PDB file of all heavy atoms in Angstrom:
ATOM      1  N   TYR V 132       2.272  33.045  26.706  1.00  0.00           N
ATOM      2  CA  TYR V 132       1.770  32.811  25.358  1.00  0.00           C
ATOM      3  C   TYR V 132       2.758  33.406  24.253  1.00  0.00           C
ATOM      4  O   TYR V 132       2.506  33.326  23.114  1.00  0.00           O
ATOM      5  CB  TYR V 132       0.471  33.619  25.229  1.00  0.00           C
ATOM      6  CG  TYR V 132      -0.685  33.092  26.041  1.00  0.00           C
ATOM      7  CD1 TYR V 132      -1.339  33.998  26.959  1.00  0.00           C
ATOM      8  CD2 TYR V 132      -1.089  31.766  26.061  1.00  0.00           C
ATOM      9  CE1 TYR V 132      -2.268  33.561  27.884  1.00  0.00           C
ATOM     10  CE2 TYR V 132      -2.054  31.297  26.992  1.00  0.00           C
ATOM     11  CZ  TYR V 132      -2.642  32.279  27.849  1.00  0.00           C
ATOM     12  OH  TYR V 132      -3.632  31.820  28.662  1.00  0.00           O
ATOM     13  N   GLY V 161       3.588  30.771  16.512  1.00  0.00           N
ATOM     14  CA  GLY V 161       2.568  31.508  15.706  1.00  0.00           C
ATOM     15  C   GLY V 161       2.164  32.773  16.409  1.00  0.00           C
ATOM     16  O   GLY V 161       1.332  33.599  15.858  1.00  0.00           O
ATOM     17  N   THR V 162       2.614  33.103  17.635  1.00  0.00           N
ATOM     18  CA  THR V 162       2.117  34.265  18.362  1.00  0.00           C
ATOM     19  C   THR V 162       2.380  35.563  17.696  1.00  0.00           C
ATOM     20  O   THR V 162       3.521  35.701  17.149  1.00  0.00           O
ATOM     21  CB  THR V 162       2.714  34.273  19.901  1.00  0.00           C
ATOM     22  OG1 THR V 162       2.317  33.046  20.508  1.00  0.00           O
ATOM     23  CG2 THR V 162       2.259  35.407  20.642  1.00  0.00           C
ATOM     24  N   LEU V 163       1.533  36.404  17.626  1.00  0.00           N
ATOM     25  CA  LEU V 163       1.612  37.790  17.025  1.00  0.00           C
ATOM     26  C   LEU V 163       1.899  38.834  18.088  1.00  0.00           C
ATOM     27  O   LEU V 163       1.488  38.784  19.128  1.00  0.00           O
ATOM     28  CB  LEU V 163       0.230  38.169  16.304  1.00  0.00           C
ATOM     29  CG  LEU V 163      -0.250  37.304  15.269  1.00  0.00           C
ATOM     30  CD1 LEU V 163      -1.723  37.529  14.774  1.00  0.00           C
ATOM     31  CD2 LEU V 163       0.654  37.258  14.002  1.00  0.00           C
ATOM     32  N   LYS V 275      -7.870  24.755  12.061  1.00  0.00           N
ATOM     33  CA  LYS V 275      -7.222  24.896  13.268  1.00  0.00           C
ATOM     34  C   LYS V 275      -8.060  24.498  14.494  1.00  0.00           C
ATOM     35  O   LYS V 275      -7.670  23.792  15.380  1.00  0.00           O
ATOM     36  CB  LYS V 275      -6.629  26.236  13.489  1.00  0.00           C
ATOM     37  CG  LYS V 275      -5.808  26.487  14.749  1.00  0.00           C
ATOM     38  CD  LYS V 275      -4.991  27.762  14.653  1.00  0.00           C
ATOM     39  CE  LYS V 275      -4.296  27.952  16.103  1.00  0.00           C
ATOM     40  NZ  LYS V 275      -3.435  29.196  15.977  1.00  0.00           N
ATOM     41  N   GLY V 293       1.724  28.839  22.728  1.00  0.00           N
ATOM     42  CA  GLY V 293       1.332  30.016  21.812  1.00  0.00           C
ATOM     43  C   GLY V 293      -0.040  30.606  22.279  1.00  0.00           C
ATOM     44  O   GLY V 293      -0.681  30.095  23.165  1.00  0.00           O
ATOM     45  N   HIS V 294      -0.373  31.737  21.731  1.00  0.00           N
ATOM     46  CA  HIS V 294      -1.481  32.491  22.148  1.00  0.00           C
ATOM     47  C   HIS V 294      -2.823  31.841  21.510  1.00  0.00           C
ATOM     48  O   HIS V 294      -2.778  31.475  20.436  1.00  0.00           O
ATOM     49  CB  HIS V 294      -1.384  33.974  21.818  1.00  0.00           C
ATOM     50  CG  HIS V 294      -2.264  34.857  22.535  1.00  0.00           C
ATOM     51  ND1 HIS V 294      -3.559  34.918  22.240  1.00  0.00           N
ATOM     52  CD2 HIS V 294      -2.013  35.648  23.536  1.00  0.00           C
ATOM     53  CE1 HIS V 294      -4.200  35.812  23.132  1.00  0.00           C
ATOM     54  NE2 HIS V 294      -3.329  36.212  23.953  1.00  0.00           N
ATOM     55  N   PRO V 295      -3.772  31.689  22.349  1.00  0.00           N
ATOM     56  CA  PRO V 295      -5.009  31.074  21.933  1.00  0.00           C
ATOM     57  C   PRO V 295      -5.729  31.846  20.697  1.00  0.00           C
ATOM     58  O   PRO V 295      -6.309  31.263  19.946  1.00  0.00           O
ATOM     59  CB  PRO V 295      -5.910  30.954  23.126  1.00  0.00           C
ATOM     60  CG  PRO V 295      -5.322  31.782  24.222  1.00  0.00           C
ATOM     61  CD  PRO V 295      -3.899  32.042  23.827  1.00  0.00           C
ATOM     62  N   GLU V 296      -5.638  33.268  20.789  1.00  0.00           N
ATOM     63  CA  GLU V 296      -6.281  34.016  19.745  1.00  0.00           C
ATOM     64  C   GLU V 296      -5.307  34.782  18.916  1.00  0.00           C
ATOM     65  O   GLU V 296      -5.370  34.867  17.679  1.00  0.00           O
ATOM     66  CB  GLU V 296      -7.230  35.015  20.444  1.00  0.00           C
ATOM     67  CG  GLU V 296      -8.608  34.327  20.833  1.00  0.00           C
ATOM     68  CD  GLU V 296      -8.643  34.362  22.271  1.00  0.00           C
ATOM     69  OE1 GLU V 296      -8.274  35.352  22.940  1.00  0.00           O
ATOM     70  OE2 GLU V 296      -9.122  33.259  22.939  1.00  0.00           O
ATOM     71  N   LEU V 297      -4.387  35.480  19.643  1.00  0.00           N
ATOM     72  CA  LEU V 297      -3.517  36.428  18.793  1.00  0.00           C
ATOM     73  C   LEU V 297      -2.407  35.544  18.292  1.00  0.00           C
ATOM     74  O   LEU V 297      -1.203  35.596  18.642  1.00  0.00           O
ATOM     75  CB  LEU V 297      -2.889  37.421  19.814  1.00  0.00           C
ATOM     76  CG  LEU V 297      -3.940  38.293  20.420  1.00  0.00           C
ATOM     77  CD1 LEU V 297      -3.416  39.213  21.556  1.00  0.00           C
ATOM     78  CD2 LEU V 297      -4.642  39.154  19.368  1.00  0.00           C
ATOM     79  N   SER V 298      -2.748  34.791  17.220  1.00  0.00           N
ATOM     80  CA  SER V 298      -1.775  33.809  16.683  1.00  0.00           C
ATOM     81  C   SER V 298      -2.179  33.598  15.233  1.00  0.00           C
ATOM     82  O   SER V 298      -3.218  33.754  14.728  1.00  0.00           O
ATOM     83  CB  SER V 298      -1.928  32.489  17.482  1.00  0.00           C
ATOM     84  OG  SER V 298      -1.180  31.462  16.849  1.00  0.00           O
ATOM     85  N   MET V 299      -1.083  33.098  14.432  1.00  0.00           N
ATOM     86  CA  MET V 299      -1.367  32.816  13.038  1.00  0.00           C
ATOM     87  C   MET V 299      -2.309  31.631  12.967  1.00  0.00           C
ATOM     88  O   MET V 299      -2.170  30.559  13.619  1.00  0.00           O
ATOM     89  CB  MET V 299      -0.076  32.511  12.344  1.00  0.00           C
ATOM     90  CG  MET V 299       0.824  33.651  12.214  1.00  0.00           C
ATOM     91  SD  MET V 299       2.102  33.381  11.021  1.00  0.00           S
ATOM     92  CE  MET V 299       3.060  32.025  11.926  1.00  0.00           C
ATOM     93  N   PRO V 300      -3.300  31.706  12.015  1.00  0.00           N
ATOM     94  CA  PRO V 300      -4.262  30.670  11.928  1.00  0.00           C
ATOM     95  C   PRO V 300      -3.828  29.258  11.384  1.00  0.00           C
ATOM     96  O   PRO V 300      -4.420  28.312  11.517  1.00  0.00           O
ATOM     97  CB  PRO V 300      -5.336  31.238  11.116  1.00  0.00           C
ATOM     98  CG  PRO V 300      -4.694  32.327  10.329  1.00  0.00           C
ATOM     99  CD  PRO V 300      -3.537  32.795  11.159  1.00  0.00           C
TER     100      PRO V 300
END
Side-chain angles (χ1 to χ4, degrees):
Y132 299 123
T162 300
L163 301 168
K275 183 168 176 172
H294 199 284
E296 285 110 39
L297 302 169
S298 173
M299 290 195 293

